[in-house]
Amino acid sequence: MIVRPDYTVIRLSDQDSDRLQALFERCTDFFELTAGQPPEPTAARSEFTDVPVGKTPEDLHFFGLCDSQNCLVGTIIAVQQYPDNQTWWIGMMLLAPSHRGQGIGKAFYQGFEGWLGQQGIQAVELLAIAANAQGRAFWQSLGFVEIRQTPPRLFGQKTHTVHVYRRRIPGSSP
């Protein structure tokens, strides 16, 4: 997966939970917006076992984006073949604040999508909370289309309406 020459994408495992936790702590703004509190000290470790019903931890895929100093500056956490066999679900995409607004997130996502296309995957789905207008605008700028909204639900200490988005991978069959 190629993003930009000065960045590398690596696969993360539970052995990388400390690196992922450090990224979470640099992205406190996301956790405050979503849950009303900073990430729990075990948030990253929990990600490696937190799966949707019917899936196993083996269905989770963790991609890390590293800068030229090998510092983890971004992540995409995805569930394979969810909610159907031709779709992957992005459970989380984070980019360290110092790397936002430079096209790096777009390039990271596009590299991920290109890799999925090579695997024969047809679509990507994800959710964004209503309060995350900037995040929703980001996904829409990449061609994601809202397919539904859910009733308000609790995330940590906050309640949010959820927007579910879908993007068909170009060149995939319907």
Side-chain angles (χ1 to χ4, degrees):
M1 193 182 314
I2 298 172
V3 175
R4 288 178 24 173
D6 46 343
Y7 290 86
T8 56
V9 176
I10 61 171
R11 297 297 291 262
L12 300 173
S13 73
D14 57 355
Q15 303 296 314
D16 298 299
S17 61
D18 289 343
R19 289 180 81 186
L20 187 59
Q21 183 70 30
L23 175 63
F24 283 8
E25 291 171 7
R26 287 195 312 279
C27 297
T28 298
D29 59 333
F30 171 79
F31 291 92
E32 292 279 354
L33 176 67
T34 304
Q37 60 193 39
E40 296 289 333
T42 58
R45 196 169 320 122
S46 297
E47 287 295 326
F48 289 95
T49 57
D50 187 17
V51 295
V53 173
K55 300 309 267 182
T56 68
E58 289 73 34
D59 295 317
L60 295 174
H61 296 266
F62 293 77
F63 299 91
L65 181 65
C66 298
D67 65 12
S68 59
Q69 285 78 44
N70 199 32
C71 178
L72 185 67
V73 298
T75 189
I76 294 175
I77 302 172
V79 183
Q80 71 181 21
Q81 300 175 328
Y82 184 81
D84 60 55
N85 288 341
Q86 293 303 311
T87 305
W88 277 43
W89 180 270
I90 295 178
M92 181 183 295
M93 180 176 169
L94 284 178
L95 194 62
S98 60
H99 289 76
R100 296 177 191 160
Q102 303 169 45
I104 298 165
K106 178 180 180 180
F108 187 25
Y109 171 76
Q110 288 173 332
F112 171 72
E113 182 180 278
W115 180 81
L116 289 178
Q118 293 171 353
Q119 313 305 309
I121 301 304
Q122 295 177 0
V124 177
E125 290 187 11
L126 56 91
L127 67 80
I129 60 171
N132 190 355
Q134 188 174 12
R136 291 187 299 114
F138 171 78
W139 293 114
Q140 291 168 345
S141 77
L142 291 172
F144 279 80
V145 176
E146 184 175 322
I147 57 173
R148 70 180 177 277
Q149 289 184 23
T150 68
R153 65 185 216 205
L154 190 63
F155 289 81
Q157 300 174 1
K158 289 189 169 184
T159 300
H160 299 284
T161 297
V162 170
H163 299 260
V164 179
Y165 292 93
R166 180 178 179 87
R167 175 174 160 80
R168 181 158 297 285
I169 295 176
S172 66
S173 43

mmCIF file of all heavy atoms in Angstrom, residues 38-82:
data_model
loop_
_atom_site.group_PDB
_atom_site.id
_atom_site.type_symbol
_atom_site.label_atom_id
_atom_site.label_comp_id
_atom_site.label_asym_id
_atom_site.label_seq_id
_atom_site.Cartn_x
_atom_site.Cartn_y
_atom_site.Cartn_z
ATOM 1 N N PRO A 38 -11.048 11.673 27.239
ATOM 2 C CA PRO A 38 -9.855 11.182 26.547
ATOM 3 C C PRO A 38 -9.912 9.664 26.413
ATOM 4 O O PRO A 38 -10.705 9.012 27.102
ATOM 5 C CB PRO A 38 -8.693 11.595 27.458
ATOM 6 C CG PRO A 38 -9.269 12.387 28.562
ATOM 7 C CD PRO A 38 -10.760 12.267 28.519
ATOM 8 N N PRO A 39 -9.065 9.087 25.564
ATOM 9 C CA PRO A 39 -9.069 7.627 25.441
ATOM 10 C C PRO A 39 -8.676 6.976 26.760
ATOM 11 O O PRO A 39 -7.824 7.477 27.487
ATOM 12 C CB PRO A 39 -8.030 7.348 24.356
ATOM 13 C CG PRO A 39 -7.165 8.554 24.321
ATOM 14 C CD PRO A 39 -8.031 9.705 24.737
ATOM 15 N N GLU A 40 -9.321 5.868 27.053
ATOM 16 C CA GLU A 40 -8.966 5.086 28.241
ATOM 17 C C GLU A 40 -7.525 4.589 28.095
ATOM 18 O O GLU A 40 -7.057 4.387 26.965
ATOM 19 C CB GLU A 40 -9.903 3.876 28.378
ATOM 20 C CG GLU A 40 -11.350 4.236 28.624
ATOM 21 C CD GLU A 40 -11.595 4.797 30.018
ATOM 22 O OE1 GLU A 40 -10.824 4.452 30.944
ATOM 23 O OE2 GLU A 40 -12.549 5.583 30.176
ATOM 24 N N PRO A 41 -6.818 4.348 29.177
ATOM 25 C CA PRO A 41 -5.435 3.857 29.093
ATOM 26 C C PRO A 41 -5.297 2.517 28.361
ATOM 27 O O PRO A 41 -4.222 2.182 27.880
ATOM 28 C CB PRO A 41 -5.003 3.712 30.559
ATOM 29 C CG PRO A 41 -5.919 4.604 31.327
ATOM 30 C CD PRO A 41 -7.224 4.617 30.562
ATOM 31 N N THR A 42 -6.386 1.760 28.284
ATOM 32 C CA THR A 42 -6.353 0.460 27.593
ATOM 33 C C THR A 42 -7.117 0.489 26.269
ATOM 34 O O THR A 42 -7.409 -0.559 25.708
ATOM 35 C CB THR A 42 -6.958 -0.626 28.505
ATOM 36 O OG1 THR A 42 -8.305 -0.239 28.830
ATOM 37 C CG2 THR A 42 -6.152 -0.811 29.777
ATOM 38 N N ALA A 43 -7.413 1.672 25.754
ATOM 39 C CA ALA A 43 -8.237 1.792 24.540
ATOM 40 C C ALA A 43 -7.630 1.046 23.353
ATOM 41 O O ALA A 43 -8.327 0.321 22.649
ATOM 42 C CB ALA A 43 -8.462 3.261 24.191
ATOM 43 N N ALA A 44 -6.349 1.225 23.121
ATOM 44 C CA ALA A 44 -5.719 0.572 21.964
ATOM 45 C C ALA A 44 -5.747 -0.943 22.115
ATOM 46 O O ALA A 44 -6.081 -1.658 21.172
ATOM 47 C CB ALA A 44 -4.295 1.074 21.788
ATOM 48 N N ARG A 45 -5.419 -1.428 23.294
ATOM 49 C CA ARG A 45 -5.417 -2.880 23.524
ATOM 50 C C ARG A 45 -6.808 -3.458 23.258
ATOM 51 O O ARG A 45 -6.949 -4.534 22.677
ATOM 52 C CB ARG A 45 -4.954 -3.179 24.954
ATOM 53 C CG ARG A 45 -4.569 -4.609 25.158
ATOM 54 C CD ARG A 45 -3.851 -4.893 26.471
ATOM 55 N NE ARG A 45 -2.898 -3.855 26.822
ATOM 56 C CZ ARG A 45 -2.942 -3.152 27.967
ATOM 57 N NH1 ARG A 45 -3.859 -3.405 28.856
ATOM 58 N NH2 ARG A 45 -2.043 -2.226 28.215
ATOM 59 N N SER A 46 -7.831 -2.730 23.682
ATOM 60 C CA SER A 46 -9.209 -3.201 23.491
ATOM 61 C C SER A 46 -9.595 -3.292 22.021
ATOM 62 O O SER A 46 -10.419 -4.125 21.646
ATOM 63 C CB SER A 46 -10.178 -2.268 24.207
ATOM 64 O OG SER A 46 -9.943 -2.285 25.596
ATOM 65 N N GLU A 47 -9.029 -2.432 21.191
ATOM 66 C CA GLU A 47 -9.366 -2.446 19.762
ATOM 67 C C GLU A 47 -9.066 -3.792 19.111
ATOM 68 O O GLU A 47 -9.726 -4.180 18.162
ATOM 69 C CB GLU A 47 -8.621 -1.335 19.009
ATOM 70 C CG GLU A 47 -9.136 0.050 19.275
ATOM 71 C CD GLU A 47 -10.560 0.279 18.787
ATOM 72 O OE1 GLU A 47 -10.952 -0.292 17.748
ATOM 73 O OE2 GLU A 47 -11.281 1.039 19.455
ATOM 74 N N PHE A 48 -8.072 -4.495 19.621
ATOM 75 C CA PHE A 48 -7.668 -5.758 19.007
ATOM 76 C C PHE A 48 -8.633 -6.905 19.293
ATOM 77 O O PHE A 48 -8.505 -7.982 18.711
ATOM 78 C CB PHE A 48 -6.240 -6.128 19.436
ATOM 79 C CG PHE A 48 -5.194 -5.232 18.815
ATOM 80 C CD1 PHE A 48 -4.718 -4.132 19.501
ATOM 81 C CD2 PHE A 48 -4.736 -5.477 17.535
ATOM 82 C CE1 PHE A 48 -3.777 -3.285 18.930
ATOM 83 C CE2 PHE A 48 -3.794 -4.641 16.949
ATOM 84 C CZ PHE A 48 -3.314 -3.538 17.648
ATOM 85 N N THR A 49 -9.600 -6.681 20.164
ATOM 86 C CA THR A 49 -10.575 -7.730 20.482
ATOM 87 C C THR A 49 -12.021 -7.260 20.321
ATOM 88 O O THR A 49 -12.938 -8.067 20.459
ATOM 89 C CB THR A 49 -10.384 -8.243 21.923
ATOM 90 O OG1 THR A 49 -10.491 -7.146 22.826
ATOM 91 C CG2 THR A 49 -9.023 -8.914 22.082
ATOM 92 N N ASP A 50 -12.235 -5.995 20.037
ATOM 93 C CA ASP A 50 -13.583 -5.433 19.930
ATOM 94 C C ASP A 50 -14.110 -5.656 18.507
ATOM 95 O O ASP A 50 -13.724 -4.944 17.584
ATOM 96 C CB ASP A 50 -13.552 -3.941 20.272
ATOM 97 C CG ASP A 50 -14.934 -3.332 20.335
ATOM 98 O OD1 ASP A 50 -15.930 -4.081 20.445
ATOM 99 O OD2 ASP A 50 -15.025 -2.088 20.260
ATOM 100 N N VAL A 51 -14.960 -6.663 18.350
ATOM 101 C CA VAL A 51 -15.444 -7.033 17.020
ATOM 102 C C VAL A 51 -16.973 -7.012 16.967
ATOM 103 O O VAL A 51 -17.641 -7.208 17.975
ATOM 104 C CB VAL A 51 -14.941 -8.434 16.603
ATOM 105 C CG1 VAL A 51 -13.437 -8.449 16.449
ATOM 106 C CG2 VAL A 51 -15.385 -9.494 17.570
ATOM 107 N N PRO A 52 -17.530 -6.773 15.779
ATOM 108 C CA PRO A 52 -18.988 -6.852 15.636
ATOM 109 C C PRO A 52 -19.478 -8.286 15.849
ATOM 110 O O PRO A 52 -18.717 -9.251 15.699
ATOM 111 C CB PRO A 52 -19.233 -6.427 14.181
ATOM 112 C CG PRO A 52 -17.974 -5.802 13.705
ATOM 113 C CD PRO A 52 -16.871 -6.383 14.544
ATOM 114 N N VAL A 53 -20.754 -8.414 16.133
ATOM 115 C CA VAL A 53 -21.374 -9.727 16.300
ATOM 116 C C VAL A 53 -21.134 -10.553 15.040
ATOM 117 O O VAL A 53 -21.287 -10.066 13.917
ATOM 118 C CB VAL A 53 -22.889 -9.566 16.574
ATOM 119 C CG1 VAL A 53 -23.584 -10.920 16.586
ATOM 120 C CG2 VAL A 53 -23.118 -8.830 17.886
ATOM 121 N N GLY A 54 -20.743 -11.794 15.239
ATOM 122 C CA GLY A 54 -20.516 -12.697 14.118
ATOM 123 C C GLY A 54 -19.099 -12.636 13.558
ATOM 124 O O GLY A 54 -18.763 -13.388 12.647
ATOM 125 N N LYS A 55 -18.263 -11.753 14.071
ATOM 126 C CA LYS A 55 -16.885 -11.636 13.597
ATOM 127 C C LYS A 55 -15.939 -12.044 14.726
ATOM 128 O O LYS A 55 -16.335 -12.136 15.882
ATOM 129 C CB LYS A 55 -16.576 -10.207 13.145
ATOM 130 C CG LYS A 55 -17.455 -9.708 11.995
ATOM 131 C CD LYS A 55 -17.503 -10.645 10.819
ATOM 132 C CE LYS A 55 -16.506 -10.381 9.763
ATOM 133 N NZ LYS A 55 -16.620 -11.309 8.602
ATOM 134 N N THR A 56 -14.678 -12.304 14.359
ATOM 135 C CA THR A 56 -13.668 -12.681 15.339
ATOM 136 C C THR A 56 -12.505 -11.687 15.245
ATOM 137 O O THR A 56 -12.393 -10.959 14.248
ATOM 138 C CB THR A 56 -13.132 -14.099 15.061
ATOM 139 O OG1 THR A 56 -12.391 -14.068 13.828
ATOM 140 C CG2 THR A 56 -14.264 -15.118 14.983
ATOM 141 N N PRO A 57 -11.616 -11.679 16.233
ATOM 142 C CA PRO A 57 -10.455 -10.791 16.140
ATOM 143 C C PRO A 57 -9.617 -11.029 14.875
ATOM 144 O O PRO A 57 -8.957 -10.106 14.391
ATOM 145 C CB PRO A 57 -9.660 -11.111 17.413
ATOM 146 C CG PRO A 57 -10.722 -11.504 18.397
ATOM 147 C CD PRO A 57 -11.720 -12.295 17.563
ATOM 148 N N GLU A 58 -9.668 -12.212 14.322
ATOM 149 C CA GLU A 58 -8.936 -12.492 13.086
ATOM 150 C C GLU A 58 -9.512 -11.726 11.894
ATOM 151 O O GLU A 58 -8.857 -11.585 10.865
ATOM 152 C CB GLU A 58 -8.916 -13.994 12.789
ATOM 153 C CG GLU A 58 -8.044 -14.801 13.734
ATOM 154 C CD GLU A 58 -8.641 -14.955 15.143
ATOM 155 O OE1 GLU A 58 -9.885 -15.041 15.278
ATOM 156 O OE2 GLU A 58 -7.854 -14.968 16.105
ATOM 157 N N ASP A 59 -10.748 -11.239 12.012
ATOM 158 C CA ASP A 59 -11.380 -10.455 10.943
ATOM 159 C C ASP A 59 -10.978 -8.983 10.994
ATOM 160 O O ASP A 59 -11.329 -8.219 10.100
ATOM 161 C CB ASP A 59 -12.910 -10.554 11.041
ATOM 162 C CG ASP A 59 -13.409 -11.962 10.790
ATOM 163 O OD1 ASP A 59 -12.904 -12.619 9.851
ATOM 164 O OD2 ASP A 59 -14.300 -12.414 11.533
ATOM 165 N N LEU A 60 -10.250 -8.587 12.039
ATOM 166 C CA LEU A 60 -9.803 -7.206 12.178
ATOM 167 C C LEU A 60 -8.468 -7.009 11.467
ATOM 168 O O LEU A 60 -7.591 -7.877 11.507
ATOM 169 C CB LEU A 60 -9.620 -6.840 13.652
ATOM 170 C CG LEU A 60 -10.858 -6.830 14.526
ATOM 171 C CD1 LEU A 60 -10.462 -6.579 15.986
ATOM 172 C CD2 LEU A 60 -11.835 -5.767 14.051
ATOM 173 N N HIS A 61 -8.324 -5.850 10.837
ATOM 174 C CA HIS A 61 -7.074 -5.498 10.162
ATOM 175 C C HIS A 61 -6.669 -4.103 10.603
ATOM 176 O O HIS A 61 -7.469 -3.171 10.537
ATOM 177 C CB HIS A 61 -7.244 -5.557 8.646
ATOM 178 C CG HIS A 61 -7.533 -6.936 8.160
ATOM 179 N ND1 HIS A 61 -6.556 -7.788 7.727
ATOM 180 C CD2 HIS A 61 -8.703 -7.625 8.083
ATOM 181 C CE1 HIS A 61 -7.108 -8.944 7.380
ATOM 182 N NE2 HIS A 61 -8.412 -8.868 7.593
ATOM 183 N N PHE A 62 -5.426 -3.991 11.048
ATOM 184 C CA PHE A 62 -4.888 -2.738 11.563
ATOM 185 C C PHE A 62 -3.765 -2.276 10.641
ATOM 186 O O PHE A 62 -2.766 -2.982 10.487
ATOM 187 C CB PHE A 62 -4.335 -2.930 12.973
ATOM 188 C CG PHE A 62 -5.394 -3.238 13.994
ATOM 189 C CD1 PHE A 62 -5.958 -4.502 14.080
ATOM 190 C CD2 PHE A 62 -5.823 -2.260 14.865
ATOM 191 C CE1 PHE A 62 -6.930 -4.786 15.025
ATOM 192 C CE2 PHE A 62 -6.801 -2.529 15.820
ATOM 193 C CZ PHE A 62 -7.358 -3.802 15.891
ATOM 194 N N PHE A 63 -3.950 -1.103 10.063
ATOM 195 C CA PHE A 63 -2.937 -0.515 9.206
ATOM 196 C C PHE A 63 -2.396 0.721 9.913
ATOM 197 O O PHE A 63 -3.170 1.540 10.411
ATOM 198 C CB PHE A 63 -3.525 -0.136 7.849
ATOM 199 C CG PHE A 63 -4.080 -1.314 7.108
ATOM 200 C CD1 PHE A 63 -5.414 -1.685 7.261
ATOM 201 C CD2 PHE A 63 -3.279 -2.075 6.279
ATOM 202 C CE1 PHE A 63 -5.933 -2.789 6.598
ATOM 203 C CE2 PHE A 63 -3.785 -3.184 5.612
ATOM 204 C CZ PHE A 63 -5.117 -3.543 5.770
ATOM 205 N N GLY A 64 -1.100 0.831 9.964
ATOM 206 C CA GLY A 64 -0.479 1.987 10.584
ATOM 207 C C GLY A 64 0.231 2.819 9.540
ATOM 208 O O GLY A 64 0.876 2.283 8.637
ATOM 209 N N LEU A 65 0.121 4.125 9.674
ATOM 210 C CA LEU A 65 0.819 5.056 8.794
ATOM 211 C C LEU A 65 1.973 5.650 9.587
ATOM 212 O O LEU A 65 1.756 6.249 10.647
ATOM 213 C CB LEU A 65 -0.135 6.159 8.324
ATOM 214 C CG LEU A 65 0.462 7.192 7.379
ATOM 215 C CD1 LEU A 65 0.858 6.549 6.047
ATOM 216 C CD2 LEU A 65 -0.532 8.327 7.149
ATOM 217 N N CYS A 66 3.194 5.455 9.092
ATOM 218 C CA CYS A 66 4.386 5.942 9.783
ATOM 219 C C CYS A 66 5.064 7.028 8.961
ATOM 220 O O CYS A 66 5.134 6.933 7.732
ATOM 221 C CB CYS A 66 5.373 4.795 10.009
ATOM 222 S SG CYS A 66 4.717 3.488 11.064
ATOM 223 N N ASP A 67 5.567 8.042 9.668
ATOM 224 C CA ASP A 67 6.296 9.111 8.991
ATOM 225 C C ASP A 67 7.745 8.668 8.746
ATOM 226 O O ASP A 67 8.114 7.513 9.035
ATOM 227 C CB ASP A 67 6.210 10.420 9.773
ATOM 228 C CG ASP A 67 6.898 10.376 11.128
ATOM 229 O OD1 ASP A 67 7.657 9.416 11.421
ATOM 230 O OD2 ASP A 67 6.681 11.323 11.907
ATOM 231 N N SER A 68 8.576 9.572 8.247
ATOM 232 C CA SER A 68 9.958 9.221 7.891
ATOM 233 C C SER A 68 10.806 8.836 9.099
ATOM 234 O O SER A 68 11.849 8.212 8.940
ATOM 235 C CB SER A 68 10.610 10.373 7.123
ATOM 236 O OG SER A 68 10.599 11.547 7.915
ATOM 237 N N GLN A 69 10.353 9.191 10.325
ATOM 238 C CA GLN A 69 11.065 8.783 11.534
ATOM 239 C C GLN A 69 10.464 7.510 12.147
ATOM 240 O O GLN A 69 10.762 7.167 13.287
ATOM 241 C CB GLN A 69 11.035 9.908 12.586
ATOM 242 C CG GLN A 69 11.971 11.064 12.283
ATOM 243 C CD GLN A 69 11.391 12.000 11.223
ATOM 244 O OE1 GLN A 69 10.219 12.353 11.266
ATOM 245 N NE2 GLN A 69 12.222 12.383 10.273
ATOM 246 N N ASN A 70 9.597 6.844 11.404
ATOM 247 C CA ASN A 70 8.917 5.618 11.831
ATOM 248 C C ASN A 70 7.992 5.849 13.026
ATOM 249 O O ASN A 70 7.724 4.939 13.801
ATOM 250 C CB ASN A 70 9.916 4.488 12.129
ATOM 251 C CG ASN A 70 9.241 3.126 12.116
ATOM 252 O OD1 ASN A 70 8.284 2.899 11.363
ATOM 253 N ND2 ASN A 70 9.713 2.227 12.952
ATOM 254 N N CYS A 71 7.511 7.073 13.169
ATOM 255 C CA CYS A 71 6.526 7.387 14.209
ATOM 256 C C CYS A 71 5.138 7.101 13.653
ATOM 257 O O CYS A 71 4.814 7.513 12.530
ATOM 258 C CB CYS A 71 6.645 8.859 14.609
ATOM 259 S SG CYS A 71 5.437 9.362 15.861
ATOM 260 N N LEU A 72 4.322 6.389 14.407
ATOM 261 C CA LEU A 72 2.952 6.082 13.991
ATOM 262 C C LEU A 72 2.128 7.367 14.030
ATOM 263 O O LEU A 72 1.928 7.948 15.093
ATOM 264 C CB LEU A 72 2.349 5.017 14.903
ATOM 265 C CG LEU A 72 0.966 4.507 14.512
ATOM 266 C CD1 LEU A 72 1.031 3.731 13.190
ATOM 267 C CD2 LEU A 72 0.408 3.619 15.618
ATOM 268 N N VAL A 73 1.673 7.820 12.867
ATOM 269 C CA VAL A 73 0.921 9.083 12.779
ATOM 270 C C VAL A 73 -0.512 8.877 12.304
ATOM 271 O O VAL A 73 -1.288 9.828 12.250
ATOM 272 C CB VAL A 73 1.643 10.120 11.880
ATOM 273 C CG1 VAL A 73 3.003 10.473 12.468
ATOM 274 C CG2 VAL A 73 1.767 9.618 10.441
ATOM 275 N N GLY A 74 -0.868 7.651 11.956
ATOM 276 C CA GLY A 74 -2.227 7.385 11.510
ATOM 277 C C GLY A 74 -2.549 5.912 11.567
ATOM 278 O O GLY A 74 -1.647 5.067 11.637
ATOM 279 N N THR A 75 -3.843 5.628 11.554
ATOM 280 C CA THR A 75 -4.275 4.231 11.540
ATOM 281 C C THR A 75 -5.615 4.104 10.828
ATOM 282 O O THR A 75 -6.427 5.036 10.835
ATOM 283 C CB THR A 75 -4.388 3.649 12.970
ATOM 284 O OG1 THR A 75 -4.600 2.235 12.880
ATOM 285 C CG2 THR A 75 -5.517 4.266 13.761
ATOM 286 N N ILE A 76 -5.797 2.981 10.204
ATOM 287 C CA ILE A 76 -7.102 2.532 9.716
ATOM 288 C C ILE A 76 -7.323 1.170 10.347
ATOM 289 O O ILE A 76 -6.481 0.271 10.215
ATOM 290 C CB ILE A 76 -7.166 2.421 8.180
ATOM 291 C CG1 ILE A 76 -7.047 3.805 7.533
ATOM 292 C CG2 ILE A 76 -8.472 1.729 7.748
ATOM 293 C CD1 ILE A 76 -6.989 3.786 6.007
ATOM 294 N N ILE A 77 -8.428 1.058 11.063
ATOM 295 C CA ILE A 77 -8.818 -0.216 11.669
ATOM 296 C C ILE A 77 -10.069 -0.677 10.928
ATOM 297 O O ILE A 77 -11.067 0.049 10.890
ATOM 298 C CB ILE A 77 -9.086 -0.060 13.175
ATOM 299 C CG1 ILE A 77 -7.841 0.494 13.884
ATOM 300 C CG2 ILE A 77 -9.525 -1.394 13.779
ATOM 301 C CD1 ILE A 77 -8.065 0.870 15.339
ATOM 302 N N ALA A 78 -9.996 -1.846 10.311
ATOM 303 C CA ALA A 78 -11.083 -2.304 9.458
ATOM 304 C C ALA A 78 -11.486 -3.739 9.772
ATOM 305 O O ALA A 78 -10.684 -4.531 10.267
ATOM 306 C CB ALA A 78 -10.667 -2.198 7.987
ATOM 307 N N VAL A 79 -12.737 -4.037 9.458
ATOM 308 C CA VAL A 79 -13.285 -5.381 9.621
ATOM 309 C C VAL A 79 -13.521 -5.941 8.220
ATOM 310 O O VAL A 79 -14.236 -5.333 7.414
ATOM 311 C CB VAL A 79 -14.617 -5.367 10.407
ATOM 312 C CG1 VAL A 79 -15.120 -6.790 10.628
ATOM 313 C CG2 VAL A 79 -14.465 -4.624 11.732
ATOM 314 N N GLN A 80 -12.926 -7.094 7.947
ATOM 315 C CA GLN A 80 -13.089 -7.697 6.632
ATOM 316 C C GLN A 80 -14.471 -8.310 6.476
ATOM 317 O O GLN A 80 -15.054 -8.793 7.436
ATOM 318 C CB GLN A 80 -12.016 -8.747 6.371
ATOM 319 C CG GLN A 80 -12.174 -10.009 7.191
ATOM 320 C CD GLN A 80 -11.072 -11.012 6.915
ATOM 321 O OE1 GLN A 80 -10.003 -10.672 6.422
ATOM 322 N NE2 GLN A 80 -11.338 -12.271 7.247
ATOM 323 N N GLN A 81 -14.966 -8.247 5.256
ATOM 324 C CA GLN A 81 -16.234 -8.878 4.897
ATOM 325 C C GLN A 81 -17.333 -8.562 5.905
ATOM 326 O O GLN A 81 -17.981 -9.452 6.451
ATOM 327 C CB GLN A 81 -16.044 -10.370 4.711
ATOM 328 C CG GLN A 81 -15.052 -10.665 3.609
ATOM 329 C CD GLN A 81 -14.729 -12.119 3.444
ATOM 330 O OE1 GLN A 81 -14.726 -12.885 4.396
ATOM 331 N NE2 GLN A 81 -14.438 -12.509 2.212
ATOM 332 N N TYR A 82 -17.527 -7.271 6.108
ATOM 333 C CA TYR A 82 -18.570 -6.808 7.016
ATOM 334 C C TYR A 82 -19.131 -5.501 6.478
ATOM 335 O O TYR A 82 -18.347 -4.627 6.118
ATOM 336 C CB TYR A 82 -17.999 -6.595 8.427
ATOM 337 C CG TYR A 82 -19.050 -6.214 9.441
ATOM 338 C CD1 TYR A 82 -19.842 -7.194 10.028
ATOM 339 C CD2 TYR A 82 -19.268 -4.895 9.781
ATOM 340 C CE1 TYR A 82 -20.817 -6.851 10.955
ATOM 341 C CE2 TYR A 82 -20.241 -4.550 10.702
ATOM 342 C CZ TYR A 82 -21.015 -5.523 11.281
ATOM 343 O OH TYR A 82 -21.984 -5.194 12.185
#
